[in-house]
Amino acid sequence: MTENRYVKAWLDEVVALVKPKQIVWIDGSEEQLAALRDEAISTGEMEALDSEKLPGCLLHRTAPNDVARVEGRTYICTKNQVDAGPMNNWMETGEMKKKLIPLYDGVMADRTMYIIPYCMGPIGSPFSKVGIEVTDSIYVVLNMDIMTRIGKKALEQLGDSNDFVRGLHSKANVEEENRYIVQFPEENSIWSVNSAYGGNVLLGKKCFALRIASYQGYKEGWMAEHMLILGIEAPNGETSYITAAFPSACGKTNLAMLIPPEVYAKQGYKVWTVGDDIAWMHIGDDGRLYAMNPEAGFFGVAPGTNQKSNPNALATTRRNTIFTNVAKDVDQNTVWWEGLDKNPPEHAVEWTGKPVNGKEWVAEGKKLAHPNSRFTAPAVNCPCLSKEFENPNGVPVSAIVFGGRRAKTAPLVYQSFDWAHGVFVGSAMASETTAAATGAVGVVRRDPMAMRPFCGYNMGDYFGHWLEMGKKLGDKAPKIFNVNWFRTDEEGHFIWPGFGDNMRVLMWILARCRGEVDAVETAIGYLPKAEDINLEGIDGVDVETVRGLLSVDSQLWLEDAAGVEELYAMFGGRLPAELAKQLADQKARLSR
Ligand code: GTP
Ligand code: SPV
Ligand code: MN
């Protein structure tokens, strides 16, 4: 399908290694994809759902030991360990290949090898980048079709260039003990083996668009971030764009698709989604920062998604969507998950495939859907998709927002003093862990810029790159903020209602960007006056509640600073001096 000699040479090597029974190029045609769907349905790999309620939708269950990203088995391999940095698992490139080659040797002898050319970013954009993923999984092909722009058009975008990411995936035998997700940023390649789940195997997503791309951005002067992109359109038709970095399962999809509360809707405000997980950001010709979404679909968390919390996401999943590890409603031939409604199906199949009485199951406190069950849905389905979604240059960013799950420390919102302080704020992020990665849930860990699992090089250098970008942007730099929707009361309930009401906070952020509202200067940054958060029509929150949500406990913040100090110590000489200074200044302000 291509005459590109670099592609052909690489594929020759791959074929010699995995020794496939058959090779199929994915051209992106609907006929080919339809045939693959039929094949997956006939083998039981996928189940077709009700053709009227969920047209074109499929259900897939992964192996129960293969339900999330595996950070402990994810590696950044470079020649020298210092280039991967202290926050990544590392092995020397050649050593890792020695370890992996036996796992791939002949692994496709009785399987079809699919070759998926794909493009991250709109076809034709100078900022888009091409990858080729080889895989033995139809599930991967069908997901990549939704999440990226696949087929001939991606090869056309590549032309005869050598600038493509080589992705080699085999589900092999889905053995946990031989599962590896390995990035080789210095040679633009990714090797993934023994998994068949989401972020481990859809190589365009975390592996390329974050881990490899963050390194490319460092080398080439742009940024790849774990960020949503949304636009807020004012009644006068002007749209301002915000990007936000929250750790996995901390609310990016929900914020990106929010429904404005009545108080804003009636005035004519609208919210548009450009992206829900990844932003590639460049400095535009006018000197401003522009963000583009390299993906073409949403791989979103299913549990908690409902008609009230996120009607746009729900609507997005009503056609041509793949559901992974959710429960099946047998009578309706539809899907169900915790938080969809209060009515679990009686005739259910829980996420591992066992037929159960769903009502009893849930009453016993057991989960019908896996907490990290997901939908893969085409962006074009989204009722609030921005008309700038395909803009080859992306959208200009007014504000960058960091955030995480913090039960106590972080206030509802605050603004950094300037860009460099904002980089400090991002670097100091911490959040309670979620089901998006295997391991304990609810443990606070430091997660700088929500990139801890996704930075493809030394994070000390990554901080330096952020500071450099700020210098280049100068006074055109977006303003940097931090939010926390997850403060809890004594009983552990969330105090802030969240979801659509988060727009009230975004409106304060935009007012700050335009210099339209005052703030209170504190040790950690600029905080809103409680009465400047619009509470018209909100449920169960008054100005006193907001005052509480905005409180800053210096003692807790000094303890947090000690955590940042520990984090920074890991980087040794690779920590930018500016950040050490920011930390010292913040401690001094807190101790005053
Ligand atoms: P990844 O796809 O893993 O990167 O996650 P994400 O950041 O897109 O997270 P998502 O929006 O899917 O939210 C994950 C979970 O957080 C869901 O269970 C939501 O119900 C919950 N959540 C999202 N926004 C809010 C909020 O404003 N308040 C509260 N309390 N929960 C929220
Ligand atoms: C995340 O974990 O941040 C995700 C889901 O967006 S996955 O693609 O599995 O990484
Ligand atoms: Mn994510």
Short mmCIF file of all heavy atoms in Angstrom, two decimals, residues 332-380:
data_model
loop_
_atom_site.label_atom_id
_atom_site.label_comp_id
_atom_site.label_asym_id
_atom_site.label_seq_id
_atom_site.Cartn_x
_atom_site.Cartn_y
_atom_site.Cartn_z
N GLN A 332 -32.49 -6.16 27.05
CA GLN A 332 -32.48 -5.04 26.10
C GLN A 332 -31.38 -5.17 25.05
O GLN A 332 -31.39 -4.45 24.05
CB GLN A 332 -32.22 -3.71 26.86
CG GLN A 332 -33.17 -3.44 28.02
CD GLN A 332 -34.47 -2.85 27.53
OE1 GLN A 332 -34.53 -2.20 26.49
NE2 GLN A 332 -35.53 -3.12 28.27
N ASN A 333 -30.41 -6.05 25.30
CA ASN A 333 -29.17 -6.11 24.50
C ASN A 333 -28.49 -4.74 24.43
O ASN A 333 -28.11 -4.24 23.37
CB ASN A 333 -29.42 -6.66 23.10
CG ASN A 333 -28.11 -7.09 22.43
OD1 ASN A 333 -27.11 -7.34 23.12
ND2 ASN A 333 -28.11 -7.14 21.11
N THR A 334 -28.39 -4.13 25.62
CA THR A 334 -27.72 -2.84 25.73
C THR A 334 -26.66 -2.94 26.84
O THR A 334 -26.36 -4.04 27.30
CB THR A 334 -28.71 -1.71 26.07
OG1 THR A 334 -29.40 -2.08 27.27
CG2 THR A 334 -29.70 -1.48 24.94
N VAL A 335 -26.13 -1.81 27.25
CA VAL A 335 -25.06 -1.82 28.25
C VAL A 335 -25.50 -1.09 29.53
O VAL A 335 -26.42 -0.26 29.50
CB VAL A 335 -23.78 -1.16 27.70
CG1 VAL A 335 -23.13 -2.06 26.66
CG2 VAL A 335 -24.07 0.21 27.11
N TRP A 336 -24.81 -1.39 30.61
CA TRP A 336 -25.10 -0.73 31.90
C TRP A 336 -23.79 -0.60 32.67
O TRP A 336 -22.87 -1.41 32.50
CB TRP A 336 -26.11 -1.54 32.72
CG TRP A 336 -26.67 -0.78 33.89
CD1 TRP A 336 -27.74 0.06 33.89
CD2 TRP A 336 -26.14 -0.77 35.24
NE1 TRP A 336 -27.93 0.61 35.13
CE2 TRP A 336 -26.96 0.11 35.99
CE3 TRP A 336 -25.07 -1.40 35.88
CZ2 TRP A 336 -26.75 0.39 37.34
CZ3 TRP A 336 -24.85 -1.14 37.23
CH2 TRP A 336 -25.69 -0.25 37.95
N TRP A 337 -23.73 0.45 33.47
CA TRP A 337 -22.59 0.60 34.38
C TRP A 337 -23.04 1.33 35.63
O TRP A 337 -24.10 1.98 35.65
CB TRP A 337 -21.44 1.35 33.71
CG TRP A 337 -21.86 2.64 33.04
CD1 TRP A 337 -22.17 3.82 33.63
CD2 TRP A 337 -22.03 2.86 31.62
NE1 TRP A 337 -22.51 4.77 32.70
CE2 TRP A 337 -22.43 4.21 31.46
CE3 TRP A 337 -21.87 2.04 30.48
CZ2 TRP A 337 -22.68 4.75 30.19
CZ3 TRP A 337 -22.11 2.59 29.24
CH2 TRP A 337 -22.51 3.93 29.10
N GLU A 338 -22.25 1.26 36.68
CA GLU A 338 -22.55 1.94 37.93
C GLU A 338 -22.68 3.44 37.65
O GLU A 338 -21.80 4.03 37.01
CB GLU A 338 -21.46 1.67 38.96
CG GLU A 338 -21.61 0.35 39.72
CD GLU A 338 -21.47 -0.89 38.87
OE1 GLU A 338 -20.81 -0.83 37.80
OE2 GLU A 338 -22.01 -1.96 39.26
N GLY A 339 -23.77 4.02 38.14
CA GLY A 339 -23.96 5.45 37.96
C GLY A 339 -24.69 5.82 36.67
O GLY A 339 -24.96 6.99 36.44
N LEU A 340 -25.02 4.81 35.82
CA LEU A 340 -25.80 5.16 34.62
C LEU A 340 -27.22 5.54 35.04
O LEU A 340 -27.78 6.53 34.61
CB LEU A 340 -25.84 3.97 33.65
CG LEU A 340 -26.74 4.17 32.42
CD1 LEU A 340 -26.20 5.28 31.52
CD2 LEU A 340 -26.88 2.88 31.62
N ASP A 341 -27.82 4.68 35.88
CA ASP A 341 -29.10 4.98 36.50
C ASP A 341 -29.19 4.11 37.75
O ASP A 341 -28.28 3.36 38.06
CB ASP A 341 -30.26 4.73 35.52
CG ASP A 341 -30.22 3.31 34.97
OD1 ASP A 341 -29.97 2.37 35.75
OD2 ASP A 341 -30.44 3.14 33.76
N LYS A 342 -30.32 4.23 38.46
CA LYS A 342 -30.44 3.47 39.71
C LYS A 342 -31.10 2.12 39.49
O LYS A 342 -31.61 1.50 40.42
CB LYS A 342 -31.23 4.31 40.72
CG LYS A 342 -30.51 5.61 41.09
CD LYS A 342 -30.89 6.09 42.48
CE LYS A 342 -29.93 7.13 43.00
NZ LYS A 342 -30.25 8.51 42.58
N ASN A 343 -31.10 1.68 38.25
CA ASN A 343 -31.90 0.53 37.88
C ASN A 343 -31.07 -0.54 37.17
O ASN A 343 -31.23 -0.77 35.97
CB ASN A 343 -33.03 1.04 36.95
CG ASN A 343 -34.12 0.03 36.80
OD1 ASN A 343 -34.26 -0.88 37.63
ND2 ASN A 343 -34.86 0.16 35.70
N PRO A 344 -30.18 -1.22 37.90
CA PRO A 344 -29.35 -2.25 37.25
C PRO A 344 -30.23 -3.35 36.66
O PRO A 344 -31.26 -3.70 37.25
CB PRO A 344 -28.48 -2.80 38.38
CG PRO A 344 -29.11 -2.35 39.65
CD PRO A 344 -29.89 -1.11 39.34
N PRO A 345 -29.87 -3.86 35.49
CA PRO A 345 -30.70 -4.89 34.85
C PRO A 345 -30.72 -6.18 35.68
O PRO A 345 -29.70 -6.58 36.24
CB PRO A 345 -30.00 -5.13 33.52
CG PRO A 345 -28.60 -4.64 33.70
CD PRO A 345 -28.67 -3.54 34.70
N GLU A 346 -31.89 -6.81 35.74
CA GLU A 346 -31.98 -8.07 36.47
C GLU A 346 -31.22 -9.16 35.72
O GLU A 346 -30.37 -9.84 36.28
CB GLU A 346 -33.45 -8.44 36.62
CG GLU A 346 -33.67 -9.51 37.66
CD GLU A 346 -35.13 -9.58 38.05
OE1 GLU A 346 -35.71 -8.53 38.42
OE2 GLU A 346 -35.70 -10.68 37.95
N HIS A 347 -31.50 -9.28 34.43
CA HIS A 347 -30.74 -10.23 33.60
C HIS A 347 -29.51 -9.52 33.09
O HIS A 347 -29.56 -8.83 32.08
CB HIS A 347 -31.58 -10.73 32.42
CG HIS A 347 -32.69 -11.61 32.85
ND1 HIS A 347 -33.88 -11.68 32.20
CD2 HIS A 347 -32.79 -12.46 33.90
CE1 HIS A 347 -34.68 -12.53 32.82
NE2 HIS A 347 -34.03 -13.02 33.86
N ALA A 348 -28.43 -9.71 33.82
CA ALA A 348 -27.21 -8.99 33.45
C ALA A 348 -26.07 -9.98 33.20
O ALA A 348 -26.12 -11.12 33.66
CB ALA A 348 -26.81 -8.04 34.58
N VAL A 349 -25.10 -9.52 32.44
CA VAL A 349 -23.82 -10.22 32.38
C VAL A 349 -22.81 -9.22 32.94
O VAL A 349 -22.67 -8.12 32.40
CB VAL A 349 -23.45 -10.61 30.92
CG1 VAL A 349 -22.10 -11.31 30.90
CG2 VAL A 349 -24.52 -11.50 30.32
N GLU A 350 -22.16 -9.60 34.05
CA GLU A 350 -21.20 -8.66 34.63
C GLU A 350 -19.94 -8.62 33.79
O GLU A 350 -19.80 -9.39 32.84
CB GLU A 350 -20.95 -8.92 36.12
CG GLU A 350 -20.56 -10.31 36.51
CD GLU A 350 -19.14 -10.64 36.19
OE1 GLU A 350 -18.25 -10.39 37.03
OE2 GLU A 350 -18.91 -11.22 35.10
N TRP A 351 -19.03 -7.68 34.13
CA TRP A 351 -17.97 -7.34 33.16
C TRP A 351 -17.04 -8.49 32.79
O TRP A 351 -16.46 -8.48 31.71
CB TRP A 351 -17.18 -6.12 33.64
CG TRP A 351 -16.30 -6.35 34.84
CD1 TRP A 351 -16.66 -6.19 36.15
CD2 TRP A 351 -14.93 -6.77 34.84
NE1 TRP A 351 -15.60 -6.49 36.96
CE2 TRP A 351 -14.52 -6.84 36.18
CE3 TRP A 351 -14.01 -7.07 33.84
CZ2 TRP A 351 -13.23 -7.21 36.56
CZ3 TRP A 351 -12.72 -7.44 34.20
CH2 TRP A 351 -12.34 -7.52 35.54
N THR A 352 -16.91 -9.51 33.66
CA THR A 352 -16.02 -10.62 33.27
C THR A 352 -16.73 -11.65 32.41
O THR A 352 -16.10 -12.58 31.91
CB THR A 352 -15.43 -11.34 34.50
OG1 THR A 352 -16.48 -12.03 35.19
CG2 THR A 352 -14.74 -10.38 35.46
N GLY A 353 -18.07 -11.49 32.25
CA GLY A 353 -18.78 -12.39 31.35
C GLY A 353 -19.71 -13.36 32.06
O GLY A 353 -20.27 -14.26 31.44
N LYS A 354 -19.88 -13.18 33.38
CA LYS A 354 -20.72 -14.10 34.14
C LYS A 354 -22.17 -13.60 34.17
O LYS A 354 -22.42 -12.46 34.53
CB LYS A 354 -20.17 -14.19 35.57
CG LYS A 354 -20.75 -15.34 36.36
CD LYS A 354 -19.84 -15.76 37.50
CE LYS A 354 -19.64 -14.64 38.49
NZ LYS A 354 -19.06 -15.04 39.73
N PRO A 355 -23.15 -14.47 33.79
CA PRO A 355 -24.55 -14.08 33.90
C PRO A 355 -24.94 -13.99 35.37
O PRO A 355 -24.68 -14.92 36.13
CB PRO A 355 -25.32 -15.23 33.22
CG PRO A 355 -24.28 -16.07 32.54
CD PRO A 355 -22.99 -15.83 33.25
N VAL A 356 -25.53 -12.87 35.76
CA VAL A 356 -25.91 -12.70 37.17
C VAL A 356 -27.25 -11.96 37.25
O VAL A 356 -27.69 -11.35 36.27
CB VAL A 356 -24.87 -11.86 37.97
CG1 VAL A 356 -23.53 -12.58 38.03
CG2 VAL A 356 -24.70 -10.47 37.39
N ASN A 357 -27.85 -12.01 38.43
CA ASN A 357 -29.00 -11.14 38.71
C ASN A 357 -28.42 -9.79 39.11
O ASN A 357 -27.89 -9.63 40.20
CB ASN A 357 -29.84 -11.74 39.84
CG ASN A 357 -31.05 -10.86 40.15
OD1 ASN A 357 -30.95 -9.62 40.15
ND2 ASN A 357 -32.18 -11.49 40.41
N GLY A 358 -28.51 -8.84 38.19
CA GLY A 358 -27.84 -7.56 38.38
C GLY A 358 -28.30 -6.83 39.62
O GLY A 358 -27.51 -6.17 40.30
N LYS A 359 -29.59 -6.93 39.92
CA LYS A 359 -30.11 -6.19 41.08
C LYS A 359 -29.52 -6.75 42.37
O LYS A 359 -29.07 -6.00 43.24
CB LYS A 359 -31.64 -6.27 41.11
CG LYS A 359 -32.28 -5.48 39.97
CD LYS A 359 -33.73 -5.16 40.26
CE LYS A 359 -34.46 -4.63 39.04
NZ LYS A 359 -33.74 -3.72 38.16
N GLU A 360 -29.51 -8.08 42.46
CA GLU A 360 -28.94 -8.70 43.68
C GLU A 360 -27.44 -8.42 43.76
O GLU A 360 -26.90 -8.13 44.83
CB GLU A 360 -29.19 -10.21 43.66
CG GLU A 360 -30.64 -10.57 43.91
CD GLU A 360 -30.93 -12.06 43.73
OE1 GLU A 360 -29.96 -12.84 43.54
OE2 GLU A 360 -32.12 -12.42 43.74
N TRP A 361 -26.79 -8.52 42.64
CA TRP A 361 -25.33 -8.30 42.56
C TRP A 361 -24.97 -6.92 43.13
O TRP A 361 -24.11 -6.79 43.99
CB TRP A 361 -24.93 -8.39 41.08
CG TRP A 361 -23.46 -8.52 40.80
CD1 TRP A 361 -22.63 -7.53 40.39
CD2 TRP A 361 -22.68 -9.71 40.85
NE1 TRP A 361 -21.36 -8.03 40.17
CE2 TRP A 361 -21.36 -9.37 40.46
CE3 TRP A 361 -22.95 -11.05 41.21
CZ2 TRP A 361 -20.32 -10.29 40.39
CZ3 TRP A 361 -21.91 -11.96 41.14
CH2 TRP A 361 -20.62 -11.58 40.75
N VAL A 362 -25.70 -5.92 42.64
CA VAL A 362 -25.43 -4.55 43.08
C VAL A 362 -25.81 -4.38 44.56
O VAL A 362 -25.09 -3.75 45.33
CB VAL A 362 -26.17 -3.53 42.19
CG1 VAL A 362 -26.14 -2.13 42.78
CG2 VAL A 362 -25.54 -3.52 40.79
N ALA A 363 -26.94 -5.01 44.95
CA ALA A 363 -27.37 -4.92 46.35
C ALA A 363 -26.32 -5.52 47.28
O ALA A 363 -26.15 -5.09 48.42
CB ALA A 363 -28.71 -5.63 46.53
N GLU A 364 -25.59 -6.53 46.78
CA GLU A 364 -24.52 -7.13 47.59
C GLU A 364 -23.24 -6.29 47.58
O GLU A 364 -22.21 -6.70 48.11
CB GLU A 364 -24.19 -8.54 47.05
CG GLU A 364 -25.26 -9.57 47.36
CD GLU A 364 -25.15 -10.83 46.49
OE1 GLU A 364 -24.04 -11.10 45.97
OE2 GLU A 364 -26.17 -11.51 46.31
N GLY A 365 -23.31 -5.14 46.90
CA GLY A 365 -22.16 -4.24 46.89
C GLY A 365 -21.11 -4.62 45.86
O GLY A 365 -19.98 -4.14 45.92
N LYS A 366 -21.47 -5.49 44.92
CA LYS A 366 -20.50 -5.87 43.90
C LYS A 366 -20.69 -5.04 42.63
O LYS A 366 -21.79 -4.54 42.36
CB LYS A 366 -20.62 -7.36 43.59
CG LYS A 366 -20.13 -8.21 44.77
CD LYS A 366 -20.11 -9.69 44.46
CE LYS A 366 -21.47 -10.30 44.61
NZ LYS A 366 -21.47 -11.76 44.76
N LYS A 367 -19.61 -4.89 41.86
CA LYS A 367 -19.66 -4.06 40.65
C LYS A 367 -20.10 -4.90 39.45
O LYS A 367 -19.54 -5.96 39.20
CB LYS A 367 -18.27 -3.49 40.35
CG LYS A 367 -17.69 -2.65 41.48
CD LYS A 367 -18.15 -1.22 41.38
CE LYS A 367 -17.38 -0.35 42.36
NZ LYS A 367 -18.27 0.60 43.05
N LEU A 368 -21.03 -4.35 38.68
CA LEU A 368 -21.41 -5.01 37.43
C LEU A 368 -20.44 -4.62 36.31
O LEU A 368 -20.08 -5.44 35.48
CB LEU A 368 -22.83 -4.58 37.02
CG LEU A 368 -24.01 -5.35 37.64
CD1 LEU A 368 -25.31 -4.80 37.08
CD2 LEU A 368 -23.91 -6.84 37.37
N ALA A 369 -20.05 -3.36 36.30
CA ALA A 369 -19.05 -2.89 35.31
C ALA A 369 -17.73 -2.71 36.04
O ALA A 369 -17.72 -2.39 37.23
CB ALA A 369 -19.48 -1.57 34.70
N HIS A 370 -16.62 -2.91 35.34
CA HIS A 370 -15.33 -2.64 35.97
C HIS A 370 -15.19 -1.12 36.20
O HIS A 370 -15.62 -0.34 35.35
CB HIS A 370 -14.19 -3.15 35.10
CG HIS A 370 -12.86 -3.06 35.79
ND1 HIS A 370 -12.12 -1.90 35.78
CD2 HIS A 370 -12.20 -3.96 36.55
CE1 HIS A 370 -11.03 -2.11 36.52
NE2 HIS A 370 -11.04 -3.34 36.99
N PRO A 371 -14.61 -0.70 37.34
CA PRO A 371 -14.48 0.75 37.60
C PRO A 371 -13.71 1.49 36.50
O PRO A 371 -13.89 2.70 36.32
CB PRO A 371 -13.70 0.82 38.92
CG PRO A 371 -13.91 -0.52 39.56
CD PRO A 371 -14.13 -1.52 38.46
N ASN A 372 -12.87 0.79 35.75
CA ASN A 372 -12.16 1.44 34.64
C ASN A 372 -12.73 0.98 33.29
O ASN A 372 -12.04 0.96 32.28
CB ASN A 372 -10.66 1.14 34.71
CG ASN A 372 -9.85 2.02 33.75
OD1 ASN A 372 -10.16 3.19 33.56
ND2 ASN A 372 -8.82 1.45 33.13
N SER A 373 -14.02 0.58 33.29
CA SER A 373 -14.65 0.25 32.00
C SER A 373 -14.77 1.53 31.19
O SER A 373 -14.90 2.62 31.74
CB SER A 373 -16.02 -0.41 32.22
OG SER A 373 -16.85 0.39 33.04
N ARG A 374 -14.72 1.37 29.88
CA ARG A 374 -14.60 2.56 29.01
C ARG A 374 -15.49 2.45 27.79
O ARG A 374 -15.88 1.37 27.38
CB ARG A 374 -13.14 2.69 28.55
CG ARG A 374 -12.14 2.85 29.70
CD ARG A 374 -11.43 4.16 29.65
NE ARG A 374 -10.70 4.44 30.88
CZ ARG A 374 -10.14 5.61 31.14
NH1 ARG A 374 -10.24 6.60 30.28
NH2 ARG A 374 -9.48 5.81 32.26
N PHE A 375 -15.75 3.61 27.18
CA PHE A 375 -16.36 3.66 25.85
C PHE A 375 -15.35 4.25 24.89
O PHE A 375 -14.56 5.11 25.26
CB PHE A 375 -17.66 4.49 25.86
CG PHE A 375 -17.51 5.89 26.43
CD1 PHE A 375 -16.95 6.92 25.68
CD2 PHE A 375 -17.92 6.17 27.74
CE1 PHE A 375 -16.81 8.20 26.21
CE2 PHE A 375 -17.79 7.45 28.27
CZ PHE A 375 -17.22 8.47 27.51
N THR A 376 -15.35 3.73 23.66
CA THR A 376 -14.54 4.33 22.59
C THR A 376 -15.53 4.89 21.59
O THR A 376 -16.22 4.13 20.90
CB THR A 376 -13.66 3.28 21.89
OG1 THR A 376 -13.10 2.40 22.86
CG2 THR A 376 -12.56 3.94 21.08
N ALA A 377 -15.63 6.22 21.53
CA ALA A 377 -16.70 6.84 20.73
C ALA A 377 -16.12 7.88 19.78
O ALA A 377 -15.21 8.63 20.14
CB ALA A 377 -17.72 7.49 21.65
N PRO A 378 -16.65 7.94 18.54
CA PRO A 378 -16.14 8.91 17.57
C PRO A 378 -16.46 10.35 18.00
O PRO A 378 -17.58 10.64 18.42
CB PRO A 378 -16.91 8.58 16.28
CG PRO A 378 -17.57 7.25 16.51
CD PRO A 378 -17.72 7.09 17.99
N ALA A 379 -15.48 11.23 17.88
CA ALA A 379 -15.69 12.63 18.25
C ALA A 379 -16.85 13.25 17.48
O ALA A 379 -17.60 14.07 18.02
CB ALA A 379 -14.41 13.44 18.02
N VAL A 380 -17.03 12.83 16.23
CA VAL A 380 -18.09 13.45 15.41
C VAL A 380 -19.48 13.19 15.98
O VAL A 380 -20.42 13.89 15.62
CB VAL A 380 -18.06 12.95 13.94
CG1 VAL A 380 -16.83 13.47 13.22
CG2 VAL A 380 -18.17 11.44 13.86
#
